[in-house]
Amino acid sequence: MTIAEWCVFASVMLYLLTIAPVKWLGAKQFDNARPRDPAFYQDGIRARALGAHQNGIEAFPFFAVAVLLAEFRVAPQNLINELSILFVIVRSAYVLTYVGDRPALRSILWALGFVITAAIFFLPLIRNYLHV
């Protein structure tokens, strides 16, 4: 497996691990029979963790497809790997800023993550100009 493919796995783990601590820390109020109970997520940090989790689910498909498409179309693997690592780092920072209630920085990181994913997606298109 390539580093980029491991980053796809890491991005899944990131959005799963975004919500797990909130459920664990609120175990007394969390009802596993009703894991999506909106009342549990009304608390500020819980609501933000849920938002970061949901956004991770939304960001994942484009990132995964971009990586697989770039690899399938034989874009430079070192660039796919480097951009994928950068994506996971940016998304990790995004989660921290979301949970930490830093909306302006969070929006910047979201945009940066999207640009990184788009760059991976378009690597096959520009590979002839990269000389890598």
Side-chain angles (χ1 to χ4, degrees), residues 15-56:
Y15 78 70
L16 291 176
L17 294 174
T18 298
I19 199 71
V22 172
K23 290 180 179 181
W24 184 74
L25 290 172
K28 292 184 186 213
Q29 297 87 22
F30 182 72
D31 180 5
N32 199 41
R34 298 177 42 184
R36 297 177 188 228
D37 181 11
F40 178 77
Y41 298 103
Q42 288 181 342
D43 176 87
I45 196 164
R46 291 178 188 169
R48 292 190 303 275
L50 178 62
H53 169 75
Q54 290 171 334
N55 188 267

Coordinates of all heavy atoms in Angstrom, one line a residue, residues 15-56:
Y15 N -12.1 11.0 11.5 CA -13.5 11.4 11.8 C -14.2 10.4 12.7 O -15.1 10.9 13.5 CB -14.3 11.6 10.5 CG -14.8 10.4 9.7 CD1 -15.8 9.6 10.2 CD2 -14.3 10.2 8.4 CE1 -16.3 8.6 9.4 CE2 -14.8 9.1 7.7 CZ -15.8 8.3 8.2 OH -16.3 7.3 7.4
L16 N -13.8 9.2 12.8 CA -14.3 8.3 13.9 C -13.8 8.7 15.3 O -14.6 8.7 16.2 CB -14.0 6.9 13.6 CG -14.6 6.2 12.4 CD1 -14.1 4.8 12.1 CD2 -16.1 6.2 12.5
L17 N -12.6 9.0 15.4 CA -12.0 9.4 16.7 C -12.4 10.8 17.1 O -12.1 11.2 18.2 CB -10.5 9.2 16.6 CG -10.0 7.8 16.5 CD1 -8.5 7.7 16.3 CD2 -10.5 6.9 17.6
T18 N -12.9 11.6 16.2 CA -13.4 12.9 16.6 C -14.6 12.8 17.5 O -14.7 13.6 18.4 CB -13.8 13.7 15.3 OG1 -12.6 13.8 14.5 CG2 -14.3 15.1 15.6
I19 N -15.5 11.9 17.3 CA -16.7 11.8 18.1 C -16.5 10.9 19.3 O -17.2 11.0 20.3 CB -17.9 11.4 17.2 CG1 -19.2 11.7 17.9 CG2 -17.8 9.9 16.8 CD1 -19.5 13.2 17.9
A20 N -15.6 9.9 19.2 CA -15.5 8.9 20.3 C -15.2 9.5 21.7 O -15.8 9.1 22.6 CB -14.5 7.8 19.9
P21 N -14.2 10.4 21.8 CA -13.9 10.9 23.1 C -15.1 11.7 23.8 O -15.3 11.6 25.0 CB -12.8 11.9 22.9 CG -12.2 11.5 21.6 CD -13.3 10.9 20.8
V22 N -15.9 12.3 23.0 CA -17.1 13.0 23.5 C -18.1 12.1 24.1 O -18.7 12.3 25.1 CB -17.7 13.9 22.4 CG1 -19.0 14.5 22.8 CG2 -16.7 15.0 21.9
K23 N -18.3 11.0 23.4 CA -19.2 9.9 23.9 C -18.6 9.3 25.1 O -19.4 9.0 26.1 CB -19.5 8.9 22.8 CG -20.3 9.4 21.6 CD -20.5 8.3 20.6 CE -21.3 8.8 19.4 NZ -21.6 7.8 18.4
W24 N -17.3 9.0 25.1 CA -16.7 8.4 26.3 C -16.7 9.3 27.5 O -17.1 8.9 28.6 CB -15.3 8.0 25.9 CG -14.6 7.3 27.0 CD1 -14.8 6.0 27.4 CD2 -13.6 7.8 27.9 NE1 -14.0 5.7 28.5 CE2 -13.2 6.8 28.8 CE3 -13.0 9.0 28.0 CZ2 -12.3 7.0 29.8 CZ3 -12.0 9.2 29.0 CH2 -11.7 8.2 29.9
L25 N -16.4 10.6 27.3 CA -16.4 11.6 28.4 C -17.8 11.8 29.0 O -17.9 12.1 30.1 CB -15.7 12.9 28.0 CG -14.2 12.8 27.8 CD1 -13.7 14.1 27.2 CD2 -13.5 12.4 29.1
G26 N -18.8 11.7 28.1 CA -20.1 12.0 28.5 C -20.9 10.7 28.7 O -22.1 10.6 28.5
A27 N -20.2 9.6 29.1 CA -20.8 8.3 29.2 C -22.0 8.2 30.1 O -22.9 7.4 29.8 CB -19.7 7.3 29.7
K28 N -22.1 9.0 31.1 CA -23.2 9.0 32.0 C -24.5 9.5 31.3 O -25.6 9.0 31.6 CB -23.0 9.7 33.3 CG -21.9 9.1 34.1 CD -21.7 9.8 35.4 CE -20.6 9.1 36.2 NZ -20.7 9.1 37.6
Q29 N -24.3 10.5 30.4 CA -25.5 11.0 29.7 C -25.7 10.4 28.4 O -26.8 10.5 27.8 CB -25.3 12.5 29.5 CG -25.2 13.4 30.7 CD -23.7 13.5 31.2 OE1 -22.8 13.3 30.5 NE2 -23.6 13.7 32.5
F30 N -24.7 9.7 27.8 CA -24.8 9.1 26.5 C -25.6 7.8 26.6 O -25.2 6.9 27.4 CB -23.4 8.8 25.9 CG -23.4 8.3 24.5 CD1 -23.8 9.0 23.4 CD2 -23.1 6.9 24.3 CE1 -23.9 8.5 22.2 CE2 -23.1 6.4 23.0 CZ -23.5 7.2 22.0
D31 N -26.6 7.6 25.7 CA -27.4 6.4 25.7 C -27.0 5.7 24.4 O -27.4 6.1 23.3 CB -28.9 6.7 25.8 CG -29.8 5.5 25.7 OD1 -29.2 4.4 25.7 OD2 -31.0 5.7 25.7
N32 N -26.3 4.6 24.4 CA -25.9 3.9 23.2 C -27.1 3.3 22.5 O -27.0 3.0 21.3 CB -24.9 2.8 23.6 CG -24.1 2.3 22.3 OD1 -23.8 3.2 21.5 ND2 -23.9 1.1 22.2
A33 N -28.2 3.2 23.1 CA -29.5 2.7 22.5 C -30.0 3.8 21.5 O -30.8 3.5 20.6 CB -30.5 2.3 23.5
R34 N -29.6 5.1 21.8 CA -30.0 6.2 21.0 C -28.8 7.1 20.7 O -28.6 8.2 21.2 CB -31.0 7.0 21.8 CG -32.3 6.2 22.0 CD -33.3 7.0 22.8 NE -33.4 8.4 22.3 CZ -34.1 9.3 22.9 NH1 -34.9 9.1 23.9 NH2 -34.1 10.5 22.4
P35 N -27.8 6.5 19.9 CA -26.6 7.2 19.7 C -26.7 8.6 19.0 O -25.7 9.4 19.0 CB -25.7 6.2 18.9 CG -26.7 5.4 18.2 CD -27.9 5.3 19.1
R36 N -27.8 8.8 18.3 CA -27.9 10.1 17.6 C -28.9 11.0 18.2 O -29.4 11.9 17.6 CB -28.4 9.7 16.1 CG -27.3 9.0 15.4 CD -27.7 8.6 14.1 NE -26.7 7.7 13.5 CZ -26.2 7.8 12.3 NH1 -26.6 8.8 11.5 NH2 -25.3 7.0 11.8
D37 N -29.2 10.8 19.5 CA -30.1 11.6 20.2 C -29.6 13.1 20.2 O -28.5 13.4 20.7 CB -30.2 11.1 21.7 CG -31.2 11.9 22.5 OD1 -31.9 12.8 21.9 OD2 -31.2 11.7 23.7
P38 N -30.4 14.0 19.6 CA -29.9 15.4 19.5 C -29.7 16.0 20.9 O -28.9 16.9 21.0 CB -31.1 16.1 18.8 CG -31.9 15.0 18.2 CD -31.6 13.8 19.0
A39 N -30.4 15.6 21.9 CA -30.2 16.2 23.2 C -28.8 16.0 23.8 O -28.3 16.9 24.4 CB -31.2 15.6 24.2
F40 N -28.2 14.9 23.5 CA -26.8 14.7 23.9 C -25.8 15.6 23.3 O -24.9 16.0 24.0 CB -26.4 13.2 23.6 CG -25.0 12.9 24.0 CD1 -24.7 12.6 25.3 CD2 -23.9 12.9 23.1 CE1 -23.3 12.4 25.7 CE2 -22.6 12.6 23.5 CZ -22.3 12.3 24.8
Y41 N -26.1 16.1 22.1 CA -25.2 16.9 21.4 C -25.5 18.4 21.5 O -25.0 19.2 20.8 CB -25.1 16.5 19.9 CG -24.7 15.1 19.7 CD1 -25.5 14.1 19.5 CD2 -23.3 14.8 19.9 CE1 -25.1 12.8 19.4 CE2 -22.9 13.5 19.8 CZ -23.8 12.5 19.5 OH -23.3 11.2 19.4
Q42 N -26.4 18.8 22.4 CA -26.7 20.2 22.6 C -25.6 21.0 23.3 O -25.4 22.2 23.1 CB -28.0 20.4 23.4 CG -29.2 20.0 22.5 CD -30.5 20.2 23.2 OE1 -30.5 20.3 24.5 NE2 -31.6 20.2 22.5
D43 N -24.8 20.3 24.1 CA -23.7 20.9 24.8 C -22.7 21.5 23.8 O -22.5 20.9 22.7 CB -23.0 19.9 25.7 CG -21.7 20.4 26.4 OD1 -21.9 21.0 27.5 OD2 -20.7 20.2 25.8
G44 N -22.1 22.6 24.1 CA -21.2 23.3 23.1 C -20.1 22.4 22.5 O -20.0 22.3 21.3
I45 N -19.3 21.8 23.4 CA -18.2 20.9 22.8 C -18.7 19.7 22.1 O -18.1 19.2 21.1 CB -17.1 20.6 23.9 CG1 -15.9 20.1 23.3 CG2 -17.7 19.6 24.9 CD1 -14.7 20.1 24.2
R46 N -19.8 19.1 22.7 CA -20.4 18.0 22.0 C -20.9 18.3 20.6 O -20.8 17.6 19.7 CB -21.5 17.4 22.9 CG -21.0 16.7 24.1 CD -22.2 16.2 24.9 NE -21.7 15.8 26.2 CZ -22.6 15.5 27.2 NH1 -23.9 15.6 27.0 NH2 -22.1 15.1 28.4
A47 N -21.6 19.5 20.5 CA -22.1 19.9 19.3 C -21.0 20.2 18.3 O -21.1 19.8 17.1 CB -22.9 21.2 19.5
R48 N -19.9 20.8 18.7 CA -18.8 21.1 17.8 C -18.1 19.8 17.4 O -17.7 19.6 16.2 CB -17.8 22.0 18.5 CG -18.4 23.4 18.6 CD -17.3 24.4 19.1 NE -16.7 24.1 20.3 CZ -17.1 24.4 21.5 NH1 -18.3 25.0 21.7 NH2 -16.4 24.1 22.6
A49 N -17.9 18.8 18.3 CA -17.3 17.5 18.0 C -18.2 16.8 16.9 O -17.7 16.2 16.0 CB -17.1 16.6 19.2
L50 N -19.5 16.9 17.1 CA -20.4 16.2 16.1 C -20.3 16.9 14.8 O -20.2 16.3 13.7 CB -21.9 16.3 16.6 CG -22.9 15.7 15.7 CD1 -22.7 14.2 15.4 CD2 -24.3 16.0 16.2
G51 N -20.2 18.3 14.8 CA -20.0 19.0 13.5 C -18.7 18.6 12.8 O -18.7 18.4 11.6
A52 N -17.6 18.5 13.6 CA -16.4 18.1 13.0 C -16.4 16.7 12.5 O -15.9 16.4 11.4 CB -15.2 18.2 14.1
H53 N -17.1 15.8 13.2 CA -17.3 14.4 12.8 C -18.1 14.4 11.5 O -17.6 13.7 10.5 CB -18.0 13.6 13.9 CG -18.5 12.3 13.5 ND1 -17.7 11.2 13.3 CD2 -19.7 11.9 13.2 CE1 -18.4 10.2 13.0 NE2 -19.6 10.5 12.9
Q54 N -19.2 15.1 11.4 CA -20.0 15.1 10.2 C -19.2 15.7 9.0 O -19.3 15.2 7.9 CB -21.3 15.8 10.4 CG -22.2 15.1 11.4 CD -23.4 15.9 11.8 OE1 -23.4 17.1 11.9 NE2 -24.5 15.2 12.2
N55 N -18.5 16.7 9.3 CA -17.7 17.3 8.2 C -16.6 16.4 7.7 O -16.3 16.3 6.5 CB -17.1 18.7 8.6 CG -16.5 19.4 7.4 OD1 -15.3 19.2 7.2 ND2 -17.3 20.1 6.7
G56 N -16.1 15.6 8.6 CA -15.1 14.6 8.2 C -15.7 13.5 7.3 O -15.1 13.1 6.3

